[in-house]
Amino acid sequence: MTTRESCIICQIVGNKIPSKKIYEDELAMAVLDVNGANPGHCFVMPKNHYPIIEQVPDVEIGRLFQVSNKISSAIFESLGAQGTNIFVANGIPAGQTVAHFTINVIPRKENDGINLQWQSKQLSEEEMSTVELKLKEQTKNIGHFENEEKKTAKIHATKPVILSDEEEEYFTKQMRRLP
Amino acid sequence: MPEQNISQEQLRALQEKIKQMSPEELKEFQKKQCIFCQIISGKVQSRKVYEDDKVVALLDINPANPGHVLLLTKEHYSIMPQIPDDEVAYVFMAAKSLSNSMLRSIDAQGTNIIVANGIAAGQRAQHFITHIIPRKDNDGINFVLPQKTMEQGEIEAIGNKLIAALGGVVEKEEEKPIIPFKLQEPKKKEAKGEFNLDDISRLLGVK
């Protein structure tokens, strides 16, 4: 397991900070947000320390969102929610506040004061075509996903690997400003 | 979806008809009405940026930001709890790759990944959609997640309800983790059916 000493989520995962856990397996953990947007708001996070989604291995992504979906169903069944949101903020401009990838599962009721809506922006045909071409060119690189769960030693390692704050990869430059 | 000029009686008849349908019939009924299924099959034009055998990603015509992508399952589902585990995993592996593509090709400084299940959550389409929105500093988007305070007793009660619904075991000692359960186990199908039916009929505009 990889953890980072200064990370609050790693401390929750390591039981150094108390939390109300609702789910745990070898890769994922889910806890209740004590200052949630609605009662029942949960965080689902990888036990390993990854600041942003791009760093999380596919196997763990699969597990984390499966767990999120189970929690979403559980919220419908047991809390009488009228809806649920799955919400990820990836990077500071997207509203991420903690440098550990987290999925929010939020129970919803009508007029509950939560706003995840947006004003649509008007783009010209040319602008749309430009962004389409750029994205299409890049998505050609999307290959096979690592759908098979690998029983690697890393997952079952007993001693956590502690990352220092400096050991971050180049594309997480955006994350450096995170606490 | 027909935003129809039909009489109250026709509306009631349709509502009644939907109530009588089996989940399979309902899915088939919805699929025929679904604009996104027509986009996926190519009957309706769109700007696709990624496609494989399970998912399609296309540009939102009313984007929150340039490059806003809708990730769709090729199979018709109206909400996420209906989707089998392996497909859920696949969708979000694709979402991760698309997010990565945005950081690399259109100068996104971050991304939001958003799913809305049900009208109360902001769902507008009757096809399960994962939104992937590229973000930049000061781009005018402001998602509001208020912070509500809960009493310790309420936290315990809600947490324990969720643990029970997840099929987990509540541990007596605070520090001990919950005994993990198998994800693949099928659980309480009929309970799911109840809220699905309600949601689905509402999604069709037949409140």
Side-chain angles (χ1 to χ4, degrees):
Chain A
M1 211 166 86
T2 48
T3 65
R4 202 170 104 181
E5 271 175 330
S6 57
C7 172
I8 184 165
I9 303 279
C10 287
Q11 289 174 33
I12 290 173
V13 170
N15 287 322
K16 283 171 194 149
I17 295 176
S19 65
K20 183 63 183 172
K21 275 179 211 164
I22 60 158
Y23 176 82
E24 182 172 8
D25 63 29
E26 79 280 18
L27 296 175
M29 184 183 280
V31 300
L32 212 57
D33 184 350
V34 291
N35 290 308
N38 265 337
H41 180 167
C42 295
F43 286 134
V44 183
M45 57 251 181
K47 286 185 159 179
N48 286 315
H49 180 81
Y50 308 106
I52 54 172
I53 194 169
E54 284 75 13
Q55 298 163 310
V56 186
D58 284 343
V59 170
E60 292 179 54
I61 288 290
R63 178 69 62 84
L64 290 163
F65 281 95
Q66 285 171 351
V67 169
S68 302
N69 194 29
K70 297 287 169 197
I71 292 172
S72 168
S73 294
I75 286 170
F76 273 113
E77 284 169 24
S78 68
L79 303 184
Q82 296 168 341
T84 59
N85 283 120
I86 309 284
F87 180 76
V88 173
N90 201 38
I92 292 170
Q96 187 174 3
T97 54
V98 179
H100 189 123
F101 173 69
T102 318
I103 303 166
N104 292 270
V105 187
I106 308 166
R108 296 297 306 274
K109 291 205 161 116
E110 274 164 40
N111 307 314
D112 58 10
I114 297 172
N115 186 5
L116 295 176
Q117 303 293 314
W118 52 82
Q119 294 285 320
S120 59
K121 293 192 169 113
Q122 292 305 309
L123 267 66
S124 66
E125 283 298 304
E126 201 188 331
E127 288 170 310
M128 283 294 267
S129 297
T130 307
V131 78
E132 180 187 358
L133 283 176
K134 280 184 182 171
L135 271 175
K136 238 186 199 167
E137 194 55 38
Q138 188 68 40
T139 60
K140 280 181 190 162
N141 302 323
I142 298 180
H144 293 287
F145 305 122
E146 312 155 29
N147 218 345
E148 290 285 299
E149 190 159 338
K150 286 180 210 149
K151 297 279 178 201
T152 60
K154 196 179 162 191
I155 288 166
H156 294 286
T158 46
K159 256 196 173 173
V161 181
I162 311 277
L163 297 179
S164 74
D165 290 359
E166 289 79 44
E167 295 172 66
E168 287 184 27
E169 292 185 40
Y170 81 99
F171 66 90
T172 65
K173 264 184 278 176
Q174 284 300 326
M175 300 296 103
R176 284 192 188 280
R177 290 180 287 163
L178 285 170
Chain B
M1 183 160 77
E3 204 50 74
Q4 58 272 84
N5 301 312
I6 58 169
S7 72
Q8 283 298 313
E9 250 162 63
Q10 281 173 304
L11 199 65
R12 261 196 294 277
L14 184 58
Q15 201 168 11
E16 201 49 45
K17 198 175 145 196
I18 288 169
K19 268 189 188 164
Q20 303 291 322
M21 285 180 185
S22 69
E24 292 75 24
E25 284 171 337
L26 197 56
K27 190 171 165 183
E28 208 43 52
F29 175 77
Q30 266 215 316
K31 205 172 165 176
K32 276 187 202 141
Q33 316 245 334
C34 176
I35 180 82
F36 288 101
C37 286
Q38 292 176 33
I39 287 173
I40 290 161
S41 65
K43 281 180 201 145
V44 172
Q45 242 193 331
S46 68
R47 296 179 185 270
K48 288 178 187 164
V49 295
Y50 177 76
E51 180 166 8
D52 62 26
D53 57 331
K54 292 192 183 72
V55 295
V56 175
L58 49 101
L59 291 183
D60 192 330
I61 54 166
N62 294 307
N65 263 339
H68 179 164
V69 159
L70 307 180
L71 177 60
L72 309 167
T73 48
K74 285 195 166 174
E75 184 75 33
H76 180 89
Y77 303 106
S78 53
I79 55 172
M80 194 166 159
Q82 298 171 315
I83 308 177
D85 277 342
D86 55 345
E87 225 171 317
V88 167
Y90 194 90
V91 166
F92 288 93
M93 288 175 200
K96 167 192 150 182
S97 294
L98 287 161
S99 168
N100 196 1
S101 298
M102 287 174 185
L103 299 186
R104 288 166 192 274
S105 71
I106 55 168
D107 304 322
Q109 298 165 343
T111 54
N112 284 117
I113 298 172
I114 305 178
V115 171
N117 291 310
I119 288 183
Q123 187 172 3
R124 297 287 172 269
Q126 69 272 57
H127 194 108
F128 167 71
I129 294 175
T130 305
H131 291 265
I132 307 160
I133 304 173
R135 297 294 306 273
K136 286 184 181 169
D137 281 324
N138 307 313
D139 58 11
I141 299 173
N142 188 21
F143 296 125
V144 183
L145 285 178
Q147 293 205 328
K148 294 173 186 163
T149 315
M150 292 202 294
E151 303 282 333
Q152 190 56 40
E154 197 186 359
I155 292 167
E156 285 298 314
I158 288 176
N160 291 344
K161 273 189 194 171
L162 287 174
I163 292 167
L166 286 164
V169 177
V170 182
E171 287 276 338
K172 292 281 184 287
E173 284 168 73
E174 277 291 302
E175 300 302 307
K176 278 194 181 168
I178 295 146
I179 295 166
F181 60 89
K182 277 267 178 231
L183 264 175
Q184 307 294 336
E185 270 175 35
K187 292 182 54 244
K188 294 186 203 161
K189 274 270 153 58
E190 63 288 347
K192 270 187 195 172
E194 269 170 41
F195 70 74
N196 280 352
L197 285 177
D198 192 34
D199 271 353
I200 287 162
S201 57
R202 285 175 55 168
L203 287 175
L204 285 167
V206 282
K207 270 195 185 180

